C-alpha cells in the first residue's frame, strides 16, 4: 500500500471555535466547564461582546486572506450559545461575514442542547446557513442521568421538541451528539437517536484526565470499547440507516490504513447475524 504523502510546510487552520456564551440553561453533571474544579468560566462575561467578536473576526479574515483559503469553518459554542439571543447572534454572524475575504466561504456550525430552539432561531440560521448539532444522550431515562435543569428536572422533552423543530428544516440539521455512559444500553441509545434521522451521530467519551479517569466498573475489561462495539453492530444491522458515526468510521479507516474518513455507504456491509 502506498503511504499517503505528507503535506509540505505548515498547514493553516481552517476551523475556528468562538465561545459565544459562558452560561448554560441546563446543569449537566459531567460538564467540563461549569462542573469541574476550574470555575473560571463563571466569572467571565455571560456572552461574547460584539467588539470582541469583531476583533476575532478580523484576525480570522486576515488568516484566510494570507493563506488564500477558499473555505473556513466557524463553530459557535458555549455554554449554551442560544442564550446570547437572536439579535446578538445575528451581530456575531454578521461580524464574521463582514471580516472574511469575498473569495472565502464561511461555513457556520453551532452546537446546542436544543431546548431553546424556535422558529426565529431557525430563520436566522437559514439566513446565515448555520448547521446545527444537538446534544442528547439517548431516551429520557438515559439522557436524564446527567442532563438535568438547574432545578433538577428533566431536559429531555425540551431537547426533543427542539430536535423535531430542527427536522422541519433538514438542511440545517447537522446531527446529534451523545456522551457515552456505561450504565445506558448502547443499542437502545443508538436506535433512539437514529429514529430522528440525523445525518451524523457522534459519541463522545466522558471528559477525563490521567488523574481523574472516567468511571469503570472493571478496569480489566475494555468497557468503553465493548459499549461502542455494540453500537457498531446496531449501526450495521439495518440497511435503512443512512447516518454516519464518526468515531467508528475513523477507527475503520485508520485500521485499514486510510488517511481520509470513510463513509459508511462506501464500505462493504457485514451481514447481520
Amino acid at each position: 500500500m502506498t503511504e499517503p504523502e505528507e503535506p509540505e510546510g505548515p498547514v493553516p487552520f481552517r476551523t475556528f471555535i468562538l465561545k459565544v456564551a459562558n452560561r448554560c440553561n441546563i446543569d449537566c453533571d459531567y460538564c467540563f466547564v461549569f462542573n469541574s474544579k476550574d470555575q473560571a468560566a463563571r466569572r467571565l462575561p455571560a456572552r461574547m461582546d460584539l467588539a470582541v467578536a469583531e476583533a476575532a473576526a478580523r484576525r480570522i479574515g486576515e488568516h484566510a486572506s494570507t493563506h488564500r483559503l477558499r473555505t473556513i469553518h466557524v463553530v459557535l459554542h458555549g455554554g449554551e450559545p442560544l442564550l446570547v439571543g437572536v439579535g446578538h447572534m445575528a451581530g456575531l454572524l454578521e461580524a464574521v461575514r463582514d471580516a472574511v475575504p469575498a473569495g472565502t466561504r464561511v461555513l457556520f456550525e453551532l452546537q446546542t442542547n436544543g431546548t431553546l430552539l424556535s422558529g426565529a432561531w431557525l430563520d436566522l440560521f437559514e439566513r446565515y446557513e448555520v448547521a446545527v448539532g444537538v446534544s442528547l444522550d439517548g431516551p429520557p431515562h438515559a439522557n436524564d442521568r446527567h442532563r438535568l435543569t438547574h432545578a433538577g428536572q428533566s431536559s429531555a422533552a425540551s431537547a426533543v421538541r427542539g430536535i423535531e423543530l430542527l427536522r422541519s428544516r433538514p438542511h440545517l440539521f447537522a446531527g446529534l451528539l451523545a456522551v457515552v455512559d456505561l450504565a445506558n444500553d448502547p443499542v437502545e441509545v443508538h436506535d433512539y437517536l437514529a429514529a430522528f434521522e440525523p445525518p451524523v451521530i457522534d459519541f463522545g467519551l466522558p471528559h477525563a484526565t490521567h488523574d481523574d479517569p472516567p468511571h469503570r466498573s472493571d478496569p480489566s475489561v475494555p468497557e468503553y470499547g465493548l459499549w461502542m462495539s455494540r453500537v457498531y453492530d446496531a449501526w450495521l444491522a439495518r440497511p435503512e440507516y443512512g447516518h454516519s458515526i464518526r468515531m467508528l468510521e475513523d477507527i475503520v479507516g485508520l485500521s485499514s490504513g486510510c488517511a481520509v474518513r470513510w463513509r459508511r455507504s462506501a464500505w462493504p456491509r457485514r451481514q447481520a447475524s
Side-chain angles (χ1 to χ4, degrees), residues 166-182:
L166 184 58
R167 291 180 70 194
S168 70
R169 308 195 201 187
H171 53 290
L172 299 178
F173 190 11
L176 298 174
L177 171 64
V179 174
V180 174
D181 184 334
L182 297 177

Side-chain angles (χ1 to χ4, degrees), residues 31-262:
C31 180
F32 60 88
V33 178
F34 300 114
N35 284 316
S36 68
K37 294 178 181 178
D38 183 356
Q39 292 294 294
R42 296 184 184 275
R43 299 189 293 273
L44 296 173
R47 66 183 188 181
M48 178 181 283
D49 188 81
L50 192 56
V52 174
E54 290 169 345
R58 283 195 297 272
R59 294 292 290 125
I60 292 171
E62 291 167 3
H63 177 84
S65 179
T66 298
H67 297 283
R68 300 178 180 178
L69 300 180
R70 298 178 63 182
T71 303
I72 61 171
H73 297 258
V74 175
V75 185
L76 308 170
H77 257 272
E80 171 49 51
L82 301 193
L83 286 175
V84 306
V86 173
H88 192 74
M89 183 70 80
L92 301 179
L93 295 168
E94 193 64 28
V96 175
R97 276 260 184 99
D98 286 347
V100 171
T104 301
R105 183 185 180 196
V106 183
L107 299 178
F108 288 111
E109 302 163 29
L110 180 143
Q111 188 68 29
T112 174
N113 60 42
T115 62
L116 300 177
L117 282 170
S118 66
W121 276 113
L122 296 188
D123 290 343
L124 178 69
F125 298 151
E126 288 271 12
R127 195 185 326 155
Y128 289 93
E129 300 179 284
V130 181
V132 181
V134 180
S135 299
L136 186 71
D137 286 354
H141 67 88
N143 186 72
D144 292 343
R145 288 185 189 277
H146 304 285
R147 302 180 63 82
L148 297 174
T149 68
H150 289 280
Q153 301 300 309
S154 171
S155 68
S158 295
V160 169
R161 180 204 57 80
I163 293 169
E164 293 294 359
L165 186 63
L166 184 58
R167 291 180 70 194
S168 70
R169 308 195 201 187
H171 53 290
L172 299 178
F173 190 11
L176 298 174
L177 171 64
V179 174
V180 174
D181 184 334
L182 297 177
N184 293 329
D185 181 86
V187 176
E188 180 186 39
V189 169
H190 171 268
D191 290 353
Y192 180 82
L193 298 178
F196 293 107
E197 300 181 310
V200 177
I201 299 176
D202 273 344
F203 287 93
L205 298 176
H207 181 71
T209 66
H210 177 78
D211 294 327
D212 187 18
H215 167 75
R216 293 174 66 182
S217 300
D218 184 354
S220 67
V221 176
E223 293 172 304
Y224 287 94
L226 292 173
W227 200 96
M228 286 303 303
S229 72
R230 290 188 62 201
V231 170
Y232 180 84
D233 289 338
W235 182 41
L236 292 188
R238 293 173 59 178
E240 66 268 27
Y241 285 150
H243 60 272
S244 63
I245 299 179
R246 296 182 198 183
M247 181 192 295
L248 298 178
E249 288 182 345
D250 285 346
I251 290 171
V252 171
L254 289 169
S255 64
S256 303
C258 296
V260 297
R261 176 172 285 126
W262 286 28

